[in-house]
Amino acid sequence: FIELRKGDDQQERWLLNCLEEMPQQQEIEGVDRLLTSISQQQSSQYPNLVQWVKHKYNPSIPSSLWEKLSHEAKVALRKWLGLANYQDFKQLVNILLNTSCLDLESWETRQLKNRSDFWSNYSDQFERIRILIPPVSASIIKENLHNKDISLLKEDGSIMTEVCIMDFGKWFVVEFFRGQGSETRLFEVNSRLEQDFEDFFNSNDLSIKYLRSLGGEVHDHVYCWQYYCEQWLRQRGIFPNEEITHFEGLPPEYSKYNRSTGLPAPSTNSQLQRDNKLICWNRDIEQMKREARLSIAKLI
């Protein structure tokens, strides 16, 4: 199977049947060899194999066989899972961009495309992803994202938007896709709060206002946001994929990436434009924060 340039569905099913019949130690050795022999890009040809390995060896699942793998296999598995999870994120963005009934404004379309490009630079890092969608767009999106981890957001009076929650290990990233604010929230996972944050991936009662009421560190998607967001993430130990030398989605003069210093700074004129737009964005965020606190207080 490893020597195949490109396997088909039948060969993939055959391999999975073999793995299912193996004694555990033989299975672990087989999975270890698969992970260290099949590249990240090749793994995208075998979605069922990736899902099977994810179910049994995911480091985020306490009962998984993750600790039985070699160091090399663990590194490879993170890349397999990161790419698979990023592909779910990218597929959601593409569905939103190509769904005419959502009636997106041109700036919303641009922001969605920019967001997909930006997070492609971090695709190796996605340990888990959860997609939360408004009831109004459920039939459109679920039909195109079958067999993915999709949940419905509860209606709470907010301007509804799709949300992605991404697990980066020590950090959870919550992306609000559209509408007023349209921010990124970052939550550090520590032992005291770890169980609360598991609600991000297990609870069926999440809403826009509830997620915003949790606080976290907040970053905008205002003009030139990529430069500042990369800095923000890097300062918290979240780095792009190791091989990244140019960022996707940026003009050539601003895309060159250095792991120590980051991206080239925007021009003075661009920074001034950004500062003006940030005034409005900060005002919107503060208003939504107040509404979220009031809403949660009433429920309590």
Side-chain angles (χ1 to χ4, degrees), residues 51-75:
Q51 286 301 314
W52 186 89
V53 173
K54 179 179 178 179
H55 177 71
K56 297 199 70 172
Y57 291 85
N58 193 328
S60 300
I61 300 174
S63 59
S64 80
L65 297 172
W66 164 258
E67 290 300 333
K68 302 288 185 180
L69 296 172
S70 67
H71 172 72
E72 292 77 12
K74 288 177 179 177
V75 171

Side-chain angles (χ1 to χ4, degrees), residues 35-132:
L35 288 168
T36 53
S37 303
I38 295 176
S39 71
Q40 180 187 33
Q41 294 303 321
Q42 285 178 299
S43 71
S44 64
Q45 302 170 15
Y46 308 113
N48 295 320
L49 174 60
V50 173
Q51 286 301 314
W52 186 89
V53 173
K54 179 179 178 179
H55 177 71
K56 297 199 70 172
Y57 291 85
N58 193 328
S60 300
I61 300 174
S63 59
S64 80
L65 297 172
W66 164 258
E67 290 300 333
K68 302 288 185 180
L69 296 172
S70 67
H71 172 72
E72 292 77 12
K74 288 177 179 177
V75 171
L77 178 55
R78 287 192 183 278
K79 292 185 176 182
W80 275 33
L81 298 182
L83 180 60
N85 288 327
Y86 169 72
Q87 292 297 338
D88 289 349
F89 177 92
K90 182 178 180 180
Q91 191 178 0
L92 173 60
V93 171
N94 288 340
I95 290 167
L96 294 174
L97 291 173
N98 294 310
T99 303
S100 58
C101 59
L102 291 177
D103 197 24
L104 298 177
E105 298 285 347
S106 59
W107 64 267
E108 289 182 298
T109 298
R110 187 170 59 254
Q111 283 281 39
L112 285 171
K113 176 67 167 60
N114 287 344
R115 221 159 307 175
S116 178
D117 288 341
F118 179 82
W119 288 112
S120 72
N121 300 295
Y122 295 82
S123 60
D124 289 359
Q125 320 301 322
F126 287 51
E127 292 192 9
R128 286 182 292 175
I129 186 170
R130 188 181 188 191
I131 297 170
L132 298 156

Side-chain angles (χ1 to χ4, degrees), residues 4-253:
L4 294 171
R5 287 196 172 186
K6 184 175 182 180
D8 57 27
D9 291 344
Q10 182 178 354
Q11 291 160 328
E12 186 181 24
R13 285 195 300 272
W14 170 83
L15 176 64
L16 289 172
N17 288 336
C18 290
L19 289 168
E20 288 285 2
E21 292 182 10
M22 289 177 183
Q24 187 178 89
Q25 185 55 39
Q26 187 180 9
E27 174 203 308
I28 293 168
E29 291 171 4
V31 169
D32 206 290
R33 188 176 172 201
L34 285 167
L35 288 168
T36 53
S37 303
I38 295 176
S39 71
Q40 180 187 33
Q41 294 303 321
Q42 285 178 299
S43 71
S44 64
Q45 302 170 15
Y46 308 113
N48 295 320
L49 174 60
V50 173
Q51 286 301 314
W52 186 89
V53 173
K54 179 179 178 179
H55 177 71
K56 297 199 70 172
Y57 291 85
N58 193 328
S60 300
I61 300 174
S63 59
S64 80
L65 297 172
W66 164 258
E67 290 300 333
K68 302 288 185 180
L69 296 172
S70 67
H71 172 72
E72 292 77 12
K74 288 177 179 177
V75 171
L77 178 55
R78 287 192 183 278
K79 292 185 176 182
W80 275 33
L81 298 182
L83 180 60
N85 288 327
Y86 169 72
Q87 292 297 338
D88 289 349
F89 177 92
K90 182 178 180 180
Q91 191 178 0
L92 173 60
V93 171
N94 288 340
I95 290 167
L96 294 174
L97 291 173
N98 294 310
T99 303
S100 58
C101 59
L102 291 177
D103 197 24
L104 298 177
E105 298 285 347
S106 59
W107 64 267
E108 289 182 298
T109 298
R110 187 170 59 254
Q111 283 281 39
L112 285 171
K113 176 67 167 60
N114 287 344
R115 221 159 307 175
S116 178
D117 288 341
F118 179 82
W119 288 112
S120 72
N121 300 295
Y122 295 82
S123 60
D124 289 359
Q125 320 301 322
F126 287 51
E127 292 192 9
R128 286 182 292 175
I129 186 170
R130 188 181 188 191
I131 297 170
L132 298 156
I133 60 176
V136 68
S137 55
S139 59
I140 302 165
I141 293 173
K142 277 196 169 184
E143 184 178 333
N144 293 281
L145 276 173
H146 57 282
N147 298 328
K148 306 300 184 188
D149 185 11
I150 299 175
S151 305
L152 291 181
L153 286 161
K154 291 184 67 176
E155 295 272 11
D156 63 2
S158 299
I159 297 174
M160 295 303 282
T161 174
E162 294 73 28
V163 176
C164 268
I165 301 173
M166 298 170 277
D167 182 354
F168 280 77
K170 294 181 179 180
W171 297 90
F172 284 169
V173 173
V174 181
E175 272 278 15
F176 295 82
F177 273 59
R178 299 186 285 129
Q180 188 183 24
S182 181
E183 76 273 24
T184 298
R185 289 180 181 265
L186 191 62
F187 297 86
E188 185 175 11
V189 181
N190 55 47
S191 57
R192 183 173 64 86
L193 297 175
E194 190 164 6
Q195 186 55 52
D196 293 338
F197 288 154
E198 282 303 307
D199 287 346
F200 282 165
F201 286 89
N202 299 320
S203 175
N204 292 318
D205 293 317
L206 298 181
S207 69
I208 300 292
K209 286 181 179 175
Y210 174 73
L211 289 169
R212 284 182 168 139
S213 75
L214 295 174
E217 301 179 49
V218 186
H219 204 281
D220 63 273
H221 291 113
V222 171
Y223 187 60
C224 295
W225 63 271
Q226 293 95 327
Y227 167 77
Y228 298 95
C229 193
E230 185 281 325
Q231 282 192 328
W232 184 63
L233 294 171
R234 180 159 41 89
Q235 289 165 2
R236 289 150 184 81
I238 302 175
F239 289 89
N241 304 340
E242 286 187 6
E243 73 278 6
I244 293 293
T245 57
H246 287 79
F247 255 52
E248 289 291 329
L250 293 174
E253 65 270 28

